[in-house]
Amino acid sequence: MLVFKFGGASIKDANAVRNMLGILRRFPDYKIVVVVSAMGKSTNELEEILHHQLEKKDCNLLLQKFYAKHLAIIEDLFQDAASITQQLHFQLEFIKKDLLKAANKPYNQAYDSIISQGEMISSMIIETFLIQEGLKAKKHNANNWIKTNSNFRDAAINWPLTESNIISGVQSAFTENDLIITQGFIGSDDDNQITTLGREGSDFSAAIFASCLNTDSVTIWKDVPGILNADPKKIPEARLYTELSYGEAAEMTYYGASVIHPKTIKPLANKNIPLHVRSFQNPDQSGTIIHDCSVEHLRPCIIIKEKQCLITFQVTDFTFISEHNLSKIFTTLDQLGIKINMMQNSAISFSICVNADWHPLQELIKELEKVFKILYNKDLELITIKNYEEGLINGFKEGRTVYLEQRTRKNYQMVVKP
């Protein structure tokens, strides 16, 4: 048994979906759990629609564009598109009704309910297309199997219940089908409200299924040849890692490498399940394998996180930053679900670099400005160089304003103005 994950880029349009079909036909002797993301940039589009609604702006034009994009894919893929078009229409009406309720819900809960519809729509289209093309495929909604707490937008997995659900559900589903189509990124809480596992969490969903089912491997099909030592869009000379250890890959994801989700590695490493990252454009290439191994002389890895915010908390009474002060800051960060990407303290201040998600950051500042003087800079980048070389550091510093930097024996980080 295998688990395949297809991200937004790999199913972004009709030709990409046909390419996905070709990849699946390469594995006729396997039962495969196929985890799909939303198509293309649908998640970003739904976020914009939700924010328009919450800001009391007219979002009808954005909804029409969202619908038209999916309708165009359907009309390209299907010989008889009437039935699936009707399903798409029903899904859009569901989104519209949910948007009307959004202002009366906590933001994170409203977010999960709306944004998860991208995956629901893509899985519906893909299931119908694969059946049309003669494959024995069946869609099952991930939120019926993956159970979580109610920490919306970053839900924690109830592993015993999830494992029980997946084992019984998948075994039953595979008695009549060779392919199970399900959604990445989503689960549900004890009240059956949809939760999400963190942005880009479809990789983690694939790892959850693989871990619960003890599959032979997981393959993430990407628009890159595998895991590179830098983003090729930013650093054209980026080179491929043919293999990585679980530990090295986990560190890369922690520091912000975007090829795989940070939570993906642990459940696979615990079961010693290999993770393949391969190109959906060139499926003959082997890509990168992450497994239990040791790689000598690993080349430096350069990770650039954009849209960062540097926040500095200063004490106001000329005392020093103490454990008591830090406790207040960390408690508030935890309550708001804000993750620290880098931190540093001095005698009278404590600085953190975080993702510039402005909704929770406004709440953070509002809560803590009662206690601290708060300064912040937006539109920054966090550059991390793993297994660094001095020449690389100097090259990245050149022409940039450095706001914060620190290094360990293996890793170097700096917060800079782009």
Side-chain angles (χ1 to χ4, degrees):
M1 190 185 301
L2 305 173
V3 175
F4 283 179
K5 180 258 177 172
F6 291 89
S10 61
I11 52 171
K12 65 181 180 180
D13 55 29
N15 286 334
V17 174
R18 291 189 186 96
N19 184 65
M20 172 190 183
L21 170 67
I23 290 172
L24 292 173
R25 281 182 166 156
R26 288 168 168 261
F27 300 87
D29 300 326
Y30 285 92
K31 301 285 188 182
I32 306 176
V33 178
V34 180
V35 178
V36 297
S37 299
M39 291 175 149
K41 299 294 184 181
S42 294
T43 300
N44 292 346
E45 293 159 11
L46 286 168
E47 283 182 342
E48 187 179 6
I49 289 167
L50 174 60
H51 292 158
H52 264 61
Q53 178 70 21
L54 294 176
E55 293 163 8
K56 296 183 168 54
K57 298 178 182 176
D58 186 0
C59 55
N60 282 322
L61 182 59
L62 293 174
L63 282 164
Q64 289 169 17
K65 288 173 64 178
F66 180 81
Y67 176 80
K69 180 183 83 170
H70 289 88
L71 182 61
I73 294 172
I74 286 171
E75 291 177 341
D76 195 336
L77 287 175
F78 294 97
Q79 300 155 9
D80 180 3
S83 176
I84 188 70
T85 299
Q86 187 177 40
Q87 291 181 59
L88 176 64
H89 176 75
F90 287 152
Q91 207 76 33
L92 188 74
E93 291 303 308
F94 177 86
I95 293 172
K96 288 180 179 178
K97 290 176 183 177
D98 225 20
L99 283 168
L100 294 176
K101 305 173 188 174
N104 299 319
K105 295 180 181 179
Y107 173 75
N108 287 350
Q109 185 179 350
Y111 180 98
D112 282 2
S113 182
I114 297 294
I115 272 58
S116 58
Q117 297 310 307
E119 276 73 13
M120 291 297 191
I121 290 171
S122 68
S123 60
M124 174 187 74
I125 293 172
I126 287 166
E127 176 204 32
T128 310
F129 175 69
L130 295 179
I131 292 171
Q132 172 187 276
E133 298 303 311
L135 274 64
K136 296 172 68 177
K138 179 67 176 174
K139 176 175 72 70
H140 292 268
N141 288 341
N143 53 300
N144 293 331
W145 287 343
I146 296 178
K147 304 302 290 186
T148 73
N149 65 4
S150 299
N151 186 25
F152 297 98
R153 292 190 73 190
D154 191 21
I157 305 300
N158 179 333
W159 280 99
L161 183 54
T162 295
E163 185 170 26
S164 174
N165 289 344
I166 287 177
I167 290 172
S168 61
V170 170
Q171 286 177 343
S172 174
F174 272 145
T175 58
E176 297 182 2
N177 299 282
D178 297 325
L179 300 172
I180 291 173
I181 313 302
T182 193
Q183 306 86 16
F185 179 58
I186 68 175
S188 67
D189 65 8
D190 291 340
D191 296 322
N192 292 320
Q193 300 176 100
I194 287 185
T195 58
T196 65
L197 312 181
R199 189 67 198 269
E200 310 292 342
S202 295
D203 297 344
F204 184 35
S205 298
I208 292 168
F209 278 96
S211 176
C212 292
L213 296 167
N214 285 301
T215 63
D216 297 340
S217 67
V218 174
T219 301
I220 297 174
W221 297 94
K222 303 282 292 185
D223 57 351
V224 290
I227 297 180
L228 306 175
N229 73 323
D231 183 344
K233 295 173 185 175
K234 299 171 184 173
I235 302 175
E237 60 271 22
R239 295 171 63 192
L240 177 73
Y241 295 113
T242 55
E243 67 173 343
L244 289 169
S245 68
Y246 290 120
E248 193 70 29
E251 277 196 52
M252 287 181 185
T253 64
Y254 174 81
Y255 287 118
S258 59
V259 176
I260 48 178
H261 188 274
K263 296 180 183 177
T264 305
I265 302 298
K266 184 177 184 296
L268 300 180
N270 288 346
K271 296 287 186 73
N272 201 21
I273 298 171
L275 172 63
H276 299 270
V277 181
R278 297 175 63 182
S279 168
F280 67 80
Q281 297 161 325
N282 298 291
D284 289 328
Q285 297 178 359
S286 57
T288 304
I289 180 172
I290 299 168
H291 59 149
D292 185 11
C293 69
S294 177
V295 182
E296 298 292 329
H297 309 299
L298 205 61
R299 71 176 62 92
C301 177
I302 303 151
I303 302 161
I304 302 174
K305 283 179 71 76
E306 299 175 333
K307 297 180 181 177
Q308 298 295 290
C309 184
L310 180 64
I311 305 177
T312 298
F313 306 91
Q314 294 181 347
V315 290
T316 57
D317 58 358
F318 301 101
T319 57
F320 299 129
I321 283 284
S322 65
E323 287 76 9
H324 177 68
N325 298 134
L326 294 175
S327 176
K328 286 182 181 178
I329 296 170
F330 280 112
T331 298
T332 309
L333 288 166
D334 181 55
Q335 290 170 345
L336 294 172
I338 299 171
K339 298 197 180 327
I340 299 174
N341 297 326
M342 181 181 174
M343 59 185 169
Q344 194 172 97
N345 68 284
S346 67
I348 60 170
S349 68
F350 178 68
S351 298
I352 59 172
C353 178
V354 296
N355 296 339
D357 188 349
W358 203 237
H359 282 276
L361 291 184
Q362 284 177 313
E363 293 295 317
L364 176 76
I365 292 169
K366 181 180 177 182
E367 180 64 28
L368 292 177
E369 66 185 358
K370 307 166 190 173
V371 183
F372 302 96
K373 179 182 178 182
I374 300 178
L375 308 172
Y376 63 86
N377 297 88
K378 297 166 66 175
D379 302 319
L380 303 180
E381 290 180 346
L382 172 61
I383 299 176
T384 302
I385 306 176
K386 282 183 52 58
N387 309 309
Y388 63 83
E389 299 166 354
E390 288 298 330
L392 269 177
I393 292 174
N394 294 333
F396 276 99
K397 277 186 175 181
E398 189 175 345
R400 289 180 168 97
T401 301
V402 178
Y403 286 76
L404 201 68
E405 65 179 319
Q406 59 186 218
R407 72 174 74 200
T408 64
R409 284 178 294 177
K410 287 180 61 179
N411 304 325
Y412 172 85
Q413 291 187 290
M414 59 180 167
V415 180
V416 301
K417 192 75 174 176

